Amino acid sequence: MTTPIERIIIRHLSGSKANQIEQLPVGDSREFTIGRDPASKIAFDPVGDSVVSRKHALIRIMGEGDNVSFKLTDAGSSNGTFLNGERVNGEVELLPEDTIELGAKGPKFTFDVQPRPANFAARTKVIGVSDTAATRVIKTAEAAASTAVNAAATGASTAAGPNADGGAPKKIGIGHETVQRLIGEERGKANRTVTGAIAAVVAFFVLGGAALYWAQHRELERRDAEDKLVQNETEERLSRIPGDVNLKIGMKPREIYDKFAKATVQVGMMWRLYDKQTGRPIQHKTVDYKGRRYPAYVQLPNNLGVVRWLTLEDDHITNLMVGGGGSGSGFVISEQGYILTNKHVAAGWQVAYGAEGGRDGILYDYVVVSSGKKRKAKIKEPKLIDLYDSAYADVFHWIPESGGYIFKTDDPTTALAGNTPDPNSNNKASFVGRNEVLEVKFHGSRLGVNASLVRTSPDADAALVKIDSPQTLTKVEMAPNAAVEIGENITVLGYPAVSVENFVLRQTEERGRIRSQLEKITEATVTEGIVSKTASGVKSTEGGTFASDMGDVYQLSVVATGSGNSGGPVFNSSGKVIGLFTYSRNVGDTKATMAVPIKYGAELTQAQRE
């Protein structure tokens, strides 16, 4: 009875898994998938083995027992599957020690099984044999000698004729020694003929080989000379091209990706806002209005505007924590671990809070309660408001770090001493923001690294963070003084949320327990475009003061990205960073993206003024 096959043995010969051996239990499985899909039974590196398709090939088990066989088929891959050097078309038989190659010059591995059944043998090795030279047929010396003897005998009889006495002719005979001598002469002639033929063949090949070598040598010299001539002519032509044209030719997006993806990081964060006086977290009150819960706002007296109804209490656990979370991008600018990103990624409390909690809200009038009275304030009828309305622009653009008013949780009356609306003084409470989480992940890495906020730019959406790394990091090169022109080609790297995500199923063993865990592979995304427009901040000239509604930014044509890419590097065609990808603007279905000039990031690295 045949012993059932327990496992498939894969010996990797090349690719990211070179010199590794995989043992795949067979069990009840009848199919083994091959590809870059993390769910494949034989999975390849999504980055290092890019020639392999996500679903590249399939090994199928046919039959059972003595009739078991294995079949290999291509799963519609982009670069094809090869078995022992031959491209696979349809389904082919797979035998032990067969070599499978995924794409021409792609990863290569051998196939085997254990235990190997006696009737499941490897292919017969076919060895080529050189053709032997044609055998030359030469008359044997004995046959030639016999002919010579007959001719000699005939000649002798004719020449002798009758004797002078008229008697019978004398008998002429050839003795044994004569025959032996003739045989020896013919053998010598045959040997000399064969030796001459061999010498002629050897001379032919020697002379022909020498002639062929010399011809090839001369051809290589000729081609080398032509290549040098073409190279010199190309360099001469390039030297006559203006510098700005060379700049536009520059690096391709794939070249920038290959060189700087490792220097581009994903930044995960979560922050909270706290009252500086009490140390308690700030919360935004929510109210139930006509069956739906909305964030609440307060109309201050004395034309002091509208503010958020902020409180330190949440007895019913219905309020919103003032804070934020999510992920962005960044890039390494020094081998010691300094990283640039956006301020709204690394310090969200220093930028406009917007319509967190929803664009709609409920507005209440501020209630003044006389001192010493212990009665509940009478709240007037609230109204529904839209924060996108220009009348509420101030509350929409509120910066949490700027402070605010702390109200009671039951009625819109200030709760802290001295924290009352006053048009003649700033009685706002002081708030402080704090990162609960600030973590950096590198391209292709499984693990995150804790980061700390170093400083932020007071002029633009830029921030500097720092990580401690035991290894020297790959960094980008900044070009803070580079002239940026409209129409210039740019490349953006980052980690937008809209990108396709790849996962890998890993098995780990800890304290004897095996766990399966699905992990996301951190991979940078590359997007290309041009500089569509440049806009400067406030600038005064003799003609007046000019300003942009978006500040000092570059408008880009890059629209195939979005949330999550904030803080990513914007490269020019020379492979140098000219900006930080920052935010986008949408009007209807039209979208435009913006980048902050890198000069604001470079300023953060200068602790001292030059």
Side-chain angles (χ1 to χ4, degrees), residues 2 5 8 26 29-32 58-72 91-96 98 111 113 117 119-121 123:
T2 302
I5 295 173
I8 291 176
V26 173
S29 300
R30 307 300 291 176
E31 291 185 349
F32 291 82
L58 180 70
I59 296 175
R60 184 179 288 110
I61 302 177
M62 309 293 288
E64 295 181 356
D66 293 338
N67 297 322
V68 69
S69 64
F70 290 78
K71 303 292 183 180
L72 173 68
E91 194 170 59
V92 298
E93 185 179 26
L94 187 61
L95 294 176
D98 277 353
F111 166 84
V113 298
N119 63 334
F120 195 49
R123 299 180 193 274

Side-chain angles (χ1 to χ4, degrees), residues 24 92 110 148 163 214 229 252 296 457 461 482 544 549 564 579 596 607:
L24 308 176
V92 298
T110 61
N163 61 16
W214 180 251
L229 180 61
K252 296 179 180 179
S457 171
D461 195 350
D549 63 341
V596 170

Side-chain angles (χ1 to χ4, degrees), residues 5-52:
I5 295 173
E6 297 179 358
R7 64 185 67 85
I8 291 176
I9 308 299
I10 301 298
R11 293 180 175 85
H12 293 275
L13 305 178
S14 63
S16 64
K17 290 186 172 182
N19 301 321
Q20 296 183 25
I21 298 177
E22 288 187 77
Q23 299 190 31
L24 308 176
V26 173
D28 296 330
S29 300
R30 307 300 291 176
E31 291 185 349
F32 291 82
T33 52
I34 306 172
R36 287 192 298 123
D37 190 330
S40 298
K41 293 290 183 66
I42 305 174
F44 287 84
D45 189 283
V47 178
D49 297 314
S50 58
V51 72
V52 181

Side-chain angles (χ1 to χ4, degrees), residues 71-132:
K71 303 292 183 180
L72 173 68
T73 182
D74 185 84
S77 66
S78 300
N79 298 305
T81 303
F82 297 81
L83 179 64
N84 299 325
E86 298 293 331
R87 186 160 189 147
V88 173
N89 294 309
E91 194 170 59
V92 298
E93 185 179 26
L94 187 61
L95 294 176
E97 301 180 18
D98 277 353
T99 299
I100 301 173
E101 186 175 6
L102 306 180
K105 299 183 180 179
K108 187 182 297 184
F109 60 87
T110 61
F111 166 84
D112 206 342
V113 298
Q114 285 185 355
R116 186 190 294 184
N119 63 334
F120 195 49
R123 299 180 193 274
T124 301
K125 302 295 185 181
V126 180
I127 303 175
V129 181
S130 301
D131 293 335
T132 58

Side-chain angles (χ1 to χ4, degrees), residues 120-201:
F120 195 49
R123 299 180 193 274
T124 301
K125 302 295 185 181
V126 180
I127 303 175
V129 181
S130 301
D131 293 335
T132 58
T135 304
R136 298 182 181 276
V137 181
I138 302 174
K139 292 183 178 180
T140 63
E142 288 78 3
S146 176
T147 302
V149 168
N150 292 333
T154 303
S157 299
T158 304
N163 61 16
D165 296 332
K170 293 182 180 179
K171 185 178 179 179
I172 304 298
I174 298 178
H176 177 72
E177 294 179 357
T178 302
V179 173
Q180 292 296 327
R181 179 177 56 80
L182 291 174
I183 291 174
E185 290 177 356
E186 290 301 323
R187 284 178 175 171
K189 291 179 181 178
N191 290 338
R192 287 193 294 273
T193 301
V194 172
T195 303
I198 294 174
V201 171

Side-chain angles (χ1 to χ4, degrees), residues 437-466:
V437 175
L438 189 61
E439 184 182 68
V440 166
K441 280 189 176 181
F442 284 85
H443 172 79
S445 176
R446 298 172 55 193
L447 305 176
V449 182
N450 289 330
S452 57
L453 178 64
V454 178
R455 62 175 66 92
T456 59
S457 171
D459 305 313
D461 195 350
L464 181 68
V465 301
K466 175 76 165 58

Side-chain angles (χ1 to χ4, degrees), residues 64 81 97 100 171 261 286 309 329 338 389 402 417 434 463 484 580 584:
E64 295 181 356
T81 303
E97 301 180 18
I100 301 173
K171 185 178 179 179
T286 65
W309 186 332
S329 302
Y338 285 97
D389 190 321
S402 65
R434 183 186 308 149
V484 177
L580 295 93
S584 62

